[in-house]
Amino acid sequence: MDSNNRDDRIKSQDPFLVLLQNTEKFELVSTISKFPVPIAILNVDGVFLAVNQCFADVYESDAIFLLGKKLNEFSTVVYSHFIDAVIEFNQNIFLDDIENEFYSKGHFYIVYFRALRDVEKNLNSIIVVGANITKLKRRERVLIQNNKKLHQLLYIDQVTGLKSKMALELVIQEKFVSEKRDQYAFIKIDLEDFKKFNYLHSYSDGDELL
C-alpha cells in the first residue's frame, strides 16, 4: 500500500488527523505556534502534518513551508531518532513516549516523541516536542569541571602530585571491608622531624625534597 492510500485510510479512521487535514494552513500554524516550545506532528513516514514556528526556527525555515515536507529533508539526526521511535512504537503497542537528545547548529536539544494511536492501538502519527537544553548542558559541564577540580584538591597532593591522605582513607573504606579485610595490608610511613627541615631550609626546599 503506497503512502497516499495509507494516509487516506488514516484520515478515515482518526478524527484528529481529519481535523488537521481539513484545517487551513495559516490557522493551523497560528494555533500550534501558541506553544512556546518546538512542536510538530508527523505521520509515520515522517511528513509534517502540523508544525509551529519555534520548530521551524531550529532549522531556519518557515512553518508553513514545512507542512507536507519530510523531516529528513531538514534533519537527518532527528529523522534517525524518529525512525527508531516509529520502530519501537510499532513493536510495543503499550509504549507511547520516547526521549532523545540531539545537537544542531551550536545548540543541544532534548526531543520527545509521543505516539498517537487509533482505537485499535495502531500507530498513525507522532507528536514531536523539542526543548533547548544548551544552558543546562553548559551548566552540567561547569559542574563536571568543578567536581574534577574539587577531586584534585581533596585527593591529590598539590606538592607531590601523589594521592593524598584522604585518597588513602577512601581506598581503605572501599577495600578494607569485613569480607576482604584479610586480603589487604597497609603500611604508613611518617617522615620524622620534617617540620624541622622546613624551618631550617625553608618550605620551598621542603617542597622540592618531597
Side-chain angles (χ1 to χ4, degrees):
M1 179 180 295
D2 61 33
S3 60
N4 290 332
N5 290 335
R6 177 166 55 188
D7 287 344
D8 290 339
R9 178 177 58 80
I10 291 173
K11 286 170 60 179
S12 66
Q13 292 179 347
D14 194 301
F16 176 68
L17 294 185
V18 172
L19 177 64
L20 290 181
Q21 295 288 345
N22 293 332
T23 302
E24 198 270 338
K25 287 185 177 181
F26 285 99
E27 181 181 351
L28 181 62
V29 170
S30 176
T31 300
I32 199 171
S33 290
K34 293 178 181 179
F35 292 94
V37 295
I39 184 170
I41 302 174
L42 301 96
N43 67 14
V44 293
D45 294 322
V47 175
F48 287 100
L49 303 176
V51 60
N52 69 356
Q53 190 55 47
C54 284
F55 194 101
D57 287 342
V58 175
Y59 304 105
E60 300 178 354
S61 186
D62 180 79
I64 293 179
F65 175 77
L66 291 181
L67 293 176
K69 302 292 192 305
K70 291 197 68 172
L71 177 61
N72 64 340
E73 298 177 31
F74 302 91
S75 174
T76 55
V77 174
V78 180
Y79 182 72
S80 176
H81 290 310
F82 176 84
I83 293 300
D84 290 340
V86 170
I87 293 173
E88 292 189 47
F89 286 146
N90 282 326
Q91 290 177 344
N92 185 353
I93 63 173
F94 299 104
L95 178 65
D96 289 324
D97 306 287
I98 296 176
E99 288 185 3
N100 291 107
E101 288 185 13
F102 73 97
Y103 179 83
S104 177
K105 298 180 179 179
H107 295 279
F108 290 93
Y109 296 89
I110 186 168
V111 60
Y112 170 82
F113 299 101
R114 173 72 179 182
L116 296 178
R117 302 179 184 274
D118 59 24
V119 293
E120 297 178 352
K121 299 294 288 183
N122 295 313
L123 181 68
N124 55 30
S125 59
I126 296 177
I127 296 178
V128 182
V129 180
N132 191 326
I133 58 171
T134 304
K135 290 183 178 179
L136 293 177
K137 280 290 186 181
R138 289 172 179 168
R139 290 174 184 173
E140 180 182 340
R141 289 179 176 179
V142 170
L143 288 175
I144 291 174
Q145 291 299 321
N146 288 341
N147 286 338
K148 288 182 179 179
K149 292 179 181 178
L150 181 61
H151 181 274
Q152 290 177 347
L153 290 174
L154 292 177
Y155 299 108
I156 302 296
D157 183 83
Q158 300 302 302
V159 175
T160 63
L162 301 175
K163 291 184 178 181
S164 66
K165 179 183 177 182
M166 290 189 65
L168 174 61
E169 291 175 350
L170 182 62
V171 171
I172 293 175
Q173 290 176 8
E174 292 177 348
K175 304 294 185 181
F176 200 56
V177 292
S178 58
E179 65 271 17
K180 294 182 179 180
R181 60 191 309 142
D182 59 342
Q183 301 178 21
Y184 297 93
F186 300 92
I187 299 176
K188 183 177 180 179
I189 300 175
D190 187 20
L191 297 179
E192 295 294 339
D193 294 330
F194 199 78
K195 287 184 178 179
K196 185 177 180 180
F197 181 91
N198 285 332
Y199 294 150
L200 293 174
H201 302 281
S202 81
Y203 282 92
S204 297
D205 288 342
D207 291 347
E208 185 176 350
L209 179 59
L210 289 174

